[in-house]
Amino acid sequence: MSLTNRILLAMVVGILTGSLLNLVLHASSIDAGLRMVLDEWLVNGLFDAVGDIFVRSLKMLVVPLVLVSLICGSSSLGDSARIGPIAGKTMIFYIGTTAIAVSVALLVAVIIQPGSGVQMAGGANFEPAAAPPLKEVFVDMFPSNPVAALAEGKMLQIIVFALLFGYAISHAGEPGRRIAEFFSDLEVVVMRVVSILMELAPWGVFALLARLFSDMGLGAIVDLGAYFLTVLAVLVFHCVVT
């Protein structure tokens, strides 16, 4: 069975398992000891731990994957005559597609209003942070401490540092070539870690959904259906059309 099919199967089994546990845990006839075992040891114990480990593992890979990939890419561009036009086109492409994505998402959200009837705990008290000035946005793209940016997962600063570091490697002569070979080997290792984690993805997906639906029940699918289908439709539009 392919990885995609295994993940889809894990989703279905996780939803069914969680929904069944929700019915059992809320049944009045269930023994108190059994309820405690299922709730504390299975749902909030095993499922919660496996799901949390999976999510943490995904977050763990983001920084090294972005850093190593961008350093390898920018160091392979060579002289500045090549990196200039490529960097300019990349920025235009990134800003343009992001603007389209934001515009389409806002338009569809205003028309359909997905999730408007769903009551989420704490949602009414949410207050978005004020948008920073444009000058501050550009200044914050450049890290004063790249190690701190890596530790805190500040992606824009990591991207800028990786591009500058890769550019320096491509212009450092023989030492730069040795460093480039090291990062090229490191990229292979990081991608291998990604493939290992993806093989474990069905177990993580199962645990996350079983934990979620054991709390919310199968009725959550109906409540969140409009939101889910709206997000899915807009993602497909952005992937296929944009």
Side-chain angles (χ1 to χ4, degrees), residues 66 70 85-103 137-138 141 154-157 159-160 163 238 242:
V66 171
L70 285 178
I86 292 177
K89 291 177 182 178
T90 301
M91 290 300 297
I92 293 174
F93 178 82
Y94 178 78
I95 294 174
T97 53
T98 301
I100 294 173
V102 172
S103 302
V137 172
F138 282 105
M141 291 174 59
K154 296 182 177 180
M155 296 311 301
L156 281 177
Q157 295 185 4
I159 290 172
V160 171
L163 292 176
H238 189 60
T242 306

Side-chain angles (χ1 to χ4, degrees), residues 64-150:
L65 185 61
V66 171
L67 177 69
V68 175
S69 298
L70 285 178
I71 288 178
C72 290
S74 57
S75 63
S76 66
L77 292 177
D79 56 62
S80 58
R82 293 181 60 198
I83 197 172
I86 292 177
K89 291 177 182 178
T90 301
M91 290 300 297
I92 293 174
F93 178 82
Y94 178 78
I95 294 174
T97 53
T98 301
I100 294 173
V102 172
S103 302
V104 172
L106 289 174
L107 177 62
V108 173
V110 169
I111 295 174
I112 299 180
Q113 296 184 358
S116 59
V118 180
Q119 298 296 326
M120 300 295 290
N125 299 323
F126 174 75
E127 293 183 5
L134 186 60
K135 169 190 170 183
E136 185 178 334
V137 172
F138 282 105
V139 171
D140 285 343
M141 291 174 59
F142 295 85
S144 58
N145 186 340
V147 177
L150 292 170

Side-chain angles (χ1 to χ4, degrees), residues 95-228:
I95 294 174
T97 53
T98 301
I100 294 173
V102 172
S103 302
V104 172
L106 289 174
L107 177 62
V108 173
V110 169
I111 295 174
I112 299 180
Q113 296 184 358
S116 59
V118 180
Q119 298 296 326
M120 300 295 290
N125 299 323
F126 174 75
E127 293 183 5
L134 186 60
K135 169 190 170 183
E136 185 178 334
V137 172
F138 282 105
V139 171
D140 285 343
M141 291 174 59
F142 295 85
S144 58
N145 186 340
V147 177
L150 292 170
E152 297 172 6
K154 296 182 177 180
M155 296 311 301
L156 281 177
Q157 295 185 4
I158 294 172
I159 290 172
V160 171
F161 172 74
L163 292 176
L164 291 174
F165 194 81
Y167 176 80
I169 289 176
S170 66
H171 289 72
E174 183 60 29
R177 282 189 287 272
R178 292 197 297 268
I179 296 296
E181 291 177 357
F182 166 77
F183 277 101
S184 179
D185 293 340
L186 184 60
E187 184 181 28
V188 175
V189 175
V190 171
M191 293 305 299
R192 181 55 185 162
V193 176
V194 173
S195 65
I196 293 173
L197 180 60
M198 287 300 98
E199 289 296 324
L200 301 176
W203 299 99
V205 170
F206 166 79
L208 287 170
L209 289 176
R211 171 72 176 83
L212 175 67
F213 280 88
S214 64
D215 284 342
M216 302 182 66
L218 194 59
I221 293 182
V222 178
D223 293 336
L224 299 175
Y227 172 76
F228 172 77

Side-chain angles (χ1 to χ4, degrees), residues 25-45:
L25 291 174
H26 290 83
S28 58
S29 59
I30 187 176
D31 180 71
L34 178 59
R35 180 185 285 109
M36 184 186 69
V37 170
L38 292 175
D39 187 29
E40 296 185 7
W41 291 92
L42 185 61
V43 175
N44 293 304

Side-chain angles (χ1 to χ4, degrees), residues 42-60 197 200-201 203-212:
L42 185 61
V43 175
N44 293 304
L46 180 61
F47 290 165
D48 190 47
V50 173
D52 195 25
I53 290 173
F54 178 66
V55 173
R56 285 172 176 264
S57 300
L58 292 177
K59 294 179 179 179
M60 172 189 69
L197 180 60
L200 301 176
W203 299 99
V205 170
F206 166 79
L208 287 170
L209 289 176
R211 171 72 176 83
L212 175 67

